[in-house]
Amino acid sequence: MEKKKTNNTPCSSAYGISNIADRIPTFKAVLFDMDGILYNSMPNHAVAWVRAMKDFGMHFTPEDSYATEGARGVDTIRVFAKKQLGKDLTEEEAQKIYDVKTRYFHELPVAPIFDGVVDLMRKIKSAGLQICIVTGSGQRPLFKRLVDDFGEFIDEEHIVTAYDVKRGKPNPDPYLMGLKKCGGIKPAEGVVVENAPLGVRAGVAAGCCTLAVNSGPLPDEVLLAEHPDALFSSIRELNDSL
């Protein structure tokens, strides 16, 4: 498997990321992030975040939406409210703001599936591996869309959302939950595919082999700083490398 860039992480040493295609039998599941990996939805999220946070007196930039992607939305809101407003919001108070952000998001055009996603999932399924989607999102309509779009590969039991964990990314909890939903497999048997710095950090912390895909505007160095096992420019490049 050709890689764009790699880091010498323990997982890389153990599996030999350069020949991961040959080591697929050692894995049992691939755990995908949702936004920025399956869907080209991050531009819409950026617009919705900026607008909603402004409504509640907070300054939030498109870059902030990429830098905080993967964390639970309520956690992001509470952090920004503390820093900018000096307020310790409850989870319920943060949820009200997140609900506004969700409404703005669903007023925007539907984000398309990235080129290469379906081909990659078919390749994974044909190799006998499970597929799980692990998102920090709390937007319930998106969960239904996942099953509608990828029902050939997943069911509702193979989706991890913000409601499944108390600690979101960058903590390892979402990916550990994904491993649990895949039958309690070991971290070494899972491959994480992520586009966000916090998500990459979560995958690495969970002990999974973690592949980063830079589908957004962040410099490669921001993702590489989180020590993924390989970095790709697109899902299509990742698929074609296998």
Side-chain angles (χ1 to χ4, degrees), residues 166-240:
K166 292 184 177 180
R167 301 192 311 165
K169 305 170 187 177
N171 296 291
D173 305 34
Y175 282 112
L176 294 176
M177 177 59 71
L179 297 173
K180 182 178 180 180
K181 288 195 173 193
C182 288
I185 65 174
K186 300 175 183 178
E189 296 171 327
V191 179
V192 166
V193 183
E194 264 283 356
N195 72 300
L198 298 186
V200 172
R201 191 184 308 173
V204 172
C208 297
C209 187
T210 303
L211 308 181
V213 178
N214 193 355
S215 61
L218 297 177
D220 284 353
E221 288 70 26
V222 174
L223 290 168
L224 288 171
E226 302 298 340
H227 308 293
D229 294 284
L231 174 65
F232 298 87
S233 62
S234 67
I235 286 287
R236 171 56 64 189
E237 182 187 39
L238 171 56
N239 176 75
D240 293 346

Side-chain angles (χ1 to χ4, degrees), residues 47-134:
V47 170
W49 269 117
V50 170
R51 185 179 175 188
M53 296 292 261
K54 183 178 180 181
D55 285 353
F56 292 88
M58 287 178 277
H59 178 67
F60 198 91
T61 68
E63 290 74 20
D64 288 330
S65 69
Y66 284 91
T68 60
E69 183 198 349
R72 296 195 313 159
V74 292
D75 292 338
T76 297
I77 291 166
R78 294 176 77 182
V79 168
F80 274 73
K82 178 66 173 179
K83 288 182 178 179
Q84 296 187 13
L85 305 178
K87 294 182 178 179
D88 289 310
L89 299 182
T90 65
E91 186 148 334
E92 292 73 20
E93 290 171 329
Q95 183 64 49
K96 291 180 180 179
I97 299 175
Y98 187 73
D99 289 343
V100 173
K101 182 264 176 181
T102 298
R103 175 164 56 85
Y104 287 153
F105 177 82
H106 288 289
E107 290 174 355
L108 296 167
V110 175
I113 298 172
F114 272 118
D115 173 55
V117 168
V118 173
D119 289 343
L120 179 57
M121 286 191 175
R122 284 178 178 154
K123 192 174 291 186
I124 292 167
K125 183 178 179 181
S126 68
L129 280 67
Q130 295 183 72
I131 293 173
C132 185
I133 297 173
V134 180

Side-chain angles (χ1 to χ4, degrees), residues 1-20:
M1 172 180 175
E2 294 181 1
K3 55 187 181 298
K4 185 177 178 183
K5 294 182 181 179
T6 61
N7 280 327
N8 293 321
T9 65
C11 183
S12 179
S13 299
Y15 293 109
I17 197 69
S18 62
N19 66 343
I20 190 173

